[in-house]
Amino acid sequence: MKLTLRVWRQKNAGAEGAMSTYEVDDISPDMSFLEMLDVLNEQLILSGEDPVAFDHDCREGICGACSLVINGDAHGPERTTTCQLHMRSFKDGDTIDIEPWRASAFPVVKDLVVDRSSFDRIIQAGGYITAPTGSAPEAHATPVPKPDADFAFEHAECIGCGACVAACPNGAAMLFTSAKINHLNVLPQGAPERETRVLDMVAQMDEEGFGGCTLAGECATACPKGIPLMSITSMNKEWLRATRRASKR
Amino acid sequence: MARTVWGSTVGKKTVMAVSGLIMLLYLVVHMIGNLKIFFGAGEFNHYAHWLRTLGEPFMHYEWTLWLVRVVLVIAVVAHAVSAYQLSRRDIRARPSKYVHSKPRASYATRTMRWGGIILGLFIVWHILDLTTGTVHSGFQPGHPYQNVVDTFSTWYGNVIYIVAMLALGLHVRHGFWSAAQTLGVGSRARDRALKTVANVLALLLTAGFIAVPVGVMTGVVS
């Protein structure tokens, strides 16, 4: 396949960026999108140019490192992560626009790499359970009803890639935050910190400068892990419950 | 608690949801009241007068009406201020647009902000036109039937009203469902029911309100 790539190039956080056009040839439809970018970078290095910086790690669709807005879609046209997107989703001769996640809480570091440490700070605000660590406890020591376990698993699938923020017209992190809150709040292990978790994580989310939710639904459409939009509804319910309870104390 | 609610994006959305539902409830009542115009000047004017005597003898003349007005003004202001502050925040949170962008969310969702502004301006015009009569030449206090017929006998009266009511339908369509999500009462099992109620409310309100200018234009009401 022969492709024209229009890639966002930005030297560093402070520099002005712009789209640059590159041609790549001999792309196999079986290559992943990132392998295609590897080909582009080899080409750039050989010609003495600066390679395009992009985030990637596991390349198995489970780590949440890869990003990229491809032709206006977070993670591209298929409902998966960029590393699991293959070139067969494109046609020979296509022009592909590649941009970084756009949100003021995700500043561009270089080219297509953005700083997602705002997500880490949301997790630090309450996305954990306070328990002594050590060997894994006996699995049946704490019974969990099946529907609750399913609900927790559905939300635990979130890999924190940030596609929800990138897709949201308001740059909101509601889907990420709600997935993390719901995952723990429904489980008995998360119960002792149920109220502080939701209040603190939502407060941190606001503190980071993410936008608010207008229920446009773009986040859930972009999410490679299929976190449902209703996740936000559940978080709102938890937040209202915690706010009412906090006012009684 | 008040500080937590007002200081949080989730809390401000709650304020928007509750104030929106208060206005929605009022609109349903208002729309039903308006339909009395199809039963003649006597019934319509009597209804308008009754609104002022509502709650008597416990309430003094017009007290109930003023109570409703105060609640509505609070709801409108709370709704608009939250919307303004949240919108400012949303725009700041996404300062640079994508080079390759496409509109995606439904029309009703994308027009919430402009639709809200249109409705806000309409409310001002509507009060000046049919409550105070400030912008209404030949306004007759105490004769609402005649005033309504007057307003809808002008082309601009009809255009302003119908455009605003279409905006209202779109606003309610996304707004009602969103309010349910914000208040945490939405769920997968209820989603279809909530969307249906939102659509039915939007349709009934728009059709019910537009029936009045259409009635005047077609001569059914004169």
Side-chain angles (χ1 to χ4, degrees):
Chain A
M1 295 166 82
K2 193 176 155 69
L3 298 165
T4 305
L5 305 174
R6 298 203 300 159
V7 186
W8 182 263
R9 301 304 306 262
Q10 187 174 335
K11 262 198 156 42
N12 55 55
E16 281 274 305
M19 298 295 270
S20 292
T21 308
Y22 304 98
E23 304 278 339
V24 281
D25 209 345
D26 287 332
I27 298 296
S28 154
D30 295 329
M31 279 181 180
S32 76
F33 199 85
L34 297 184
E35 285 168 332
M36 184 275 293
L37 287 180
D38 292 338
V39 170
L40 169 69
N41 277 347
E42 281 175 14
Q43 209 174 291
L44 290 174
I45 292 166
L46 284 175
S47 64
E49 283 180 67
D50 196 19
V52 177
F54 61 90
D55 266 324
H56 62 104
D57 190 13
C58 76
R59 299 207 178 194
E60 289 180 5
I62 54 169
C63 77
C66 61
S67 52
L68 309 190
V69 170
I70 302 162
N71 283 344
D73 291 314
H75 290 304
E78 311 286 339
R79 189 165 185 161
T80 185
T81 52
T82 298
C83 62
Q84 291 296 299
L85 172 68
H86 291 84
M87 296 316 292
R88 52 181 165 269
S89 301
F90 300 91
K91 289 195 303 289
D92 187 36
D94 272 0
T95 299
I96 306 173
D97 289 334
I98 310 169
E99 297 172 76
W101 282 175
R102 291 286 186 207
S104 56
F106 284 169
V108 174
V109 177
K110 185 181 180 181
D111 297 339
L112 302 170
V113 177
V114 298
D115 180 359
R116 284 172 279 189
S117 37
S118 47
F119 268 15
D120 297 340
R121 288 188 290 272
I122 294 177
I123 294 293
Q124 282 162 12
Y128 51 79
I129 62 163
T130 306
T133 51
S135 55
E138 212 282 309
H140 296 293
T142 314
V144 179
K146 180 72 166 65
D148 291 356
D150 287 346
F151 184 85
F153 268 120
E154 188 177 21
H155 292 91
E157 275 199 71
C158 170
I159 52 175
C161 63
C164 44
V165 176
C168 177
N170 312 322
M174 293 285 279
L175 198 68
F176 166 78
T177 312
S178 66
K180 296 302 175 193
I181 289 168
N182 293 332
H183 158 209
L184 294 173
N185 270 19
V186 72
L187 293 173
Q189 291 87 343
E193 287 149 314
R194 187 174 166 186
E195 286 94 31
T196 51
R197 177 176 300 114
V198 60
L199 293 176
D200 293 348
M201 287 177 79
V202 167
Q204 189 63 38
M205 176 186 84
D206 287 345
E207 178 74 30
E208 296 294 340
F210 289 106
C213 183
T214 50
L215 289 146
E218 306 288 345
C219 53
T221 311
C223 177
K225 296 295 160 183
I227 307 295
L229 186 59
M230 289 290 155
S231 181
I232 293 175
T233 313
S234 305
M235 176 176 78
N236 290 337
K237 192 174 175 181
E238 284 292 306
W239 189 89
L240 288 169
R241 177 183 175 278
T243 305
R244 278 197 307 272
R245 292 199 148 212
S247 71
K248 282 182 199 149
R249 290 213 181 101
Chain B
M1 182 175 170
R3 191 180 294 171
T4 323
V5 171
W6 193 246
S8 160
T9 52
V10 177
K12 274 200 184 116
K13 282 288 292 194
T14 310
V15 171
M16 288 196 70
V18 173
S19 55
L21 289 173
I22 291 171
M23 292 188 278
L24 185 59
L25 180 71
Y26 169 78
L27 284 177
V28 172
V29 176
H30 187 13
M31 188 272 287
I32 295 171
N34 282 6
L35 295 179
K36 289 184 181 59
I37 201 154
F38 290 102
F39 301 100
E43 181 157 346
F44 190 73
N45 290 347
H46 176 250
Y47 162 70
H49 181 73
W50 171 80
L51 287 176
R52 280 149 183 80
T53 61
L54 195 59
E56 282 183 7
F58 178 69
M59 298 296 260
H60 183 69
Y61 181 76
E62 281 195 348
W63 273 16
T64 313
L65 191 66
W66 274 103
L67 192 68
V68 171
R69 284 170 177 169
V70 168
V71 171
L72 283 174
V73 166
I74 293 170
V76 170
V77 170
H79 201 75
V81 171
S82 319
Y84 173 75
Q85 293 184 351
L86 285 168
S87 298
R88 284 272 310 250
R89 187 189 173 89
D90 294 347
I91 293 162
R92 264 205 310 272
R94 176 54 106 54
S96 30
K97 300 265 170 289
Y98 289 109
V99 173
H100 190 123
S101 66
K102 28 188 166 183
R104 260 180 281 227
S106 74
Y107 189 72
T109 312
R110 281 186 282 127
T111 52
M112 286 304 274
R113 284 175 193 149
W114 278 110
I117 292 169
I118 290 175
L119 289 172
L121 294 174
F122 169 75
I123 292 170
V124 173
W125 181 83
H126 191 54
I127 290 171
L128 294 180
D129 179 36
L130 287 170
T131 307
T132 64
T134 317
V135 295
H136 189 137
S137 61
F139 182 79
Q140 304 169 51
H143 294 87
Y145 184 92
Q146 199 49 50
N147 293 331
V148 169
V149 172
D150 275 1
T151 283
F152 294 132
S153 302
T154 61
W155 67 267
Y156 57 86
N158 288 319
V159 169
I160 293 172
Y161 195 85
I162 291 171
V163 166
M165 291 309 108
L166 293 174
L168 173 72
L170 287 170
H171 206 77
V172 167
R173 184 175 184 219
H174 182 70
F176 178 79
W177 177 81
S178 291
Q181 309 311 317
T182 302
L183 297 174
V185 296
S187 72
R188 237 168 266 185
R190 282 191 211 131
D191 201 44
R192 258 188 67 181
L194 282 170
K195 281 197 168 131
T196 309
V197 173
N199 287 341
V200 168
L201 269 174
L203 205 68
L204 281 182
L205 281 175
T206 308
F209 280 122
I210 288 183
V212 179
V214 169
V216 176
M217 278 191 272
T218 53
V220 176
V221 176
S222 59

